[in-house]
Amino acid sequence: MRKTTTYLSNRSAAASFALGLVAAFGVTAVPAAAQGPVPERVTVERGNTLWGLAEAYLGDPLLWPAIYRLNTDVVEDPHWIYPGEVLRLVGTGDEPTLAGLAVTDTLAADSAMLAADSAMVAAVQAPPPPVTSQATVFSRRRESLERARHELRVLANPPYRPLRRGEFYSAGFLTDGDDLPLGRVIGSVEPLAIGVRTERTTAMIYQQIAVEPPRGAAYQLGDELWIVRIAREIADHGNVVVPAGIARVVAMDGDRPIAQLSETFDRVRQELAVLPLEPFPDAGAVRPVPVEDGIMGRVIASRGGDPLTGPQSIVFLDRGRADGLSLGDMFAFVRPSAGAGDDVDSAEQYMGAAMVVYLRDRTASLLVVAVGQPDIGPGTPARLIRKMPQ
């Protein structure tokens, strides 16, 4: 048996009740101000908003939640709708729809529709939520402000790391005359046809490349490889090695390894060299400590061979692991004061600072972190000023 719901006789109360029904249950109602039938769908154009569409098609901008609730599968955020999206203005039939009816006619239909569901009537007639006190509002605002301040402090003071992974692998180094186990990049491959080389000369990150191990060696699935470019030669120190990327062996094409690029520092192209990837020696959050009378070294050259222009450049030092250096050590570039001759200990002028980011036995790669004088170049003295704890 159908239950009967009694509505207030006052017209404004009835209209308020109908608007509450729309907001609570997504019922599409068209006030008397809307003229003509409501289309089932509308295509969003530039400049449209849910507010404007509700005013144009439903006759009341405050009915925008009804359109949003009918289109939650298209609209993620009701503040943002985009040109080309197709929005429904009329329900599919699964929900009660009153589109095309005037408010006065809608109220007459409501009594029969709402009486069919006692739970719906109870929800519509539920008492309003309690009013939040002003003190509670201020308390919540203080909590929100404290959370924001905490997040800003974390962003402004990130955890200290003497050496980051990217700095280690992208720095480059001098071969010191050593023979390296160099393989080579054959070229990029099609993802769906591993054995076919493409016409691309440069591989991008996450693309696959075919590689060839050095004679007498083999790469296995899961091996990580260092893609490098062998650059110019420097007398008494070998060649400059410039990293281009990192790849992991993910497949085999016969006996030919196929590797996927996971990081790129430079262009990865055919005929670049391949090395087994060294493990990254993470020192954690340990800080280098000041030292007095640190060892002296001299700049061999910059990695690119160009004059030093600013921070983030890489320079090579004629000191290395055999001299007791560690990753994360700090050096200061210095210059003797006028009239001091070659005795840099007597009077030194600060020129800049750099951190050891890669080590070999006889040389070190330094990342320049500060520049005070622009003429840092080959032969510039460098003094160890901070040492990582052993």
Side-chain angles (χ1 to χ4, degrees):
M1 178 182 294
R2 292 181 177 271
K3 297 181 181 180
T4 302
T5 303
T6 302
Y7 291 93
L8 299 176
S9 59
N10 182 277
R11 178 177 295 274
S12 62
S16 299
F17 183 81
L19 181 58
L21 174 65
V22 172
F25 300 101
V27 180
T28 306
V30 183
Q35 301 295 326
V38 178
E40 290 188 4
R41 300 177 185 274
V42 63
T43 301
V44 177
E45 298 180 356
R46 183 178 297 275
N48 285 162
T49 63
L50 293 184
W51 176 280
L53 293 176
E55 182 177 22
Y57 293 101
L58 304 186
D60 188 343
L62 295 178
L63 296 183
W64 68 263
I67 301 178
Y68 171 59
R69 290 186 176 90
L70 288 173
N71 295 277
T72 54
D73 57 332
V74 177
V75 181
E76 295 183 2
D77 185 338
H79 296 90
W80 297 96
I81 58 176
Y82 301 93
E85 292 180 337
V86 179
L87 305 182
R88 288 189 293 138
L89 300 179
V90 180
T92 60
D94 296 333
E95 64 286 309
T97 175
L98 305 176
L101 299 179
V103 170
T104 54
D105 298 330
T106 298
L107 293 175
D110 284 347
S111 60
M113 185 175 295
L114 291 177
D117 191 344
S118 59
M120 180 180 293
V121 172
V124 172
Q125 296 177 344
V131 178
T132 304
S133 67
Q134 189 174 12
T136 302
V137 172
F138 287 156
S139 176
R140 291 176 179 173
R141 287 180 178 176
R142 283 196 298 269
E143 292 175 0
S144 177
L145 182 59
E146 285 301 321
R147 286 195 300 269
R149 286 174 176 171
H150 174 71
E151 292 174 358
L152 288 174
R153 284 193 294 267
V154 171
L155 291 174
N157 300 280
Y160 176 81
R161 287 291 183 271
L163 178 63
R164 289 173 169 78
R165 184 178 185 275
E167 295 168 342
F168 176 80
Y169 285 123
S170 64
F173 56 90
L174 293 171
T175 61
D176 284 347
D178 297 335
D179 290 329
L180 303 178
L182 297 176
R184 69 185 183 97
V185 175
I186 298 175
S188 57
V189 298
E190 291 286 358
L192 300 180
I194 288 179
V196 180
R197 189 193 310 179
T198 69
E199 297 300 322
R200 294 190 298 269
T201 59
T202 300
M204 311 296 289
I205 191 169
Y206 304 131
Q207 288 184 344
Q208 295 181 354
I209 56 175
V211 296
E212 182 179 78
R215 186 182 301 275
Y219 297 146
Q220 306 297 326
L221 290 177
D223 285 352
E224 288 194 295
L225 307 175
W226 211 354
I227 314 300
V228 299
R229 172 169 57 88
I230 307 301
R232 72 189 191 284
E233 183 177 2
I234 297 179
D236 301 326
H237 297 288
N239 290 91
V240 175
V241 178
V242 180
I246 295 174
R248 180 190 294 272
V249 178
V250 295
M252 300 294 293
D253 178 24
D255 59 353
R256 175 175 295 169
I258 304 298
Q260 185 176 44
L261 288 168
S262 57
E263 297 180 53
T264 56
F265 315 120
D266 199 352
R267 291 194 305 162
V268 176
R269 58 183 188 275
Q270 296 171 342
E271 303 305 326
L272 287 184
V274 177
L275 285 169
L277 188 69
E278 296 184 27
F280 171 55
D282 189 357
V286 179
R287 292 177 179 268
V289 297
V291 296
E292 296 182 0
D293 299 326
I295 65 171
M296 293 292 298
R298 290 186 180 273
V299 173
I300 299 171
S302 65
R303 189 182 71 176
D306 302 321
L308 183 64
T309 58
Q312 302 304 307
S313 300
I314 298 293
V315 298
F316 302 125
L317 194 71
D318 63 353
R319 298 286 186 173
R321 193 182 295 112
D323 300 294
L325 297 188
S326 303
L327 294 173
D329 289 352
M330 297 291 299
F331 276 83
F333 301 114
V334 295
R335 179 171 57 190
S337 296
D342 294 332
D343 185 8
V344 295
D345 294 327
S346 60
E348 297 175 346
Q349 290 183 347
Y350 170 82
M351 300 179 65
M355 178 176 62
V356 177
V357 292
Y358 191 86
L359 275 174
R360 295 187 68 80
D361 286 340
R362 297 182 295 278
T363 57
S365 303
L366 272 57
L367 174 68
V368 179
V369 297
V371 175
Q373 300 290 335
D375 50 350
I376 300 172
T380 300
R383 180 182 294 280
L384 179 67
I385 57 173
R386 287 180 174 269
K387 187 80 178 69
M388 288 289 286
Q390 297 297 323

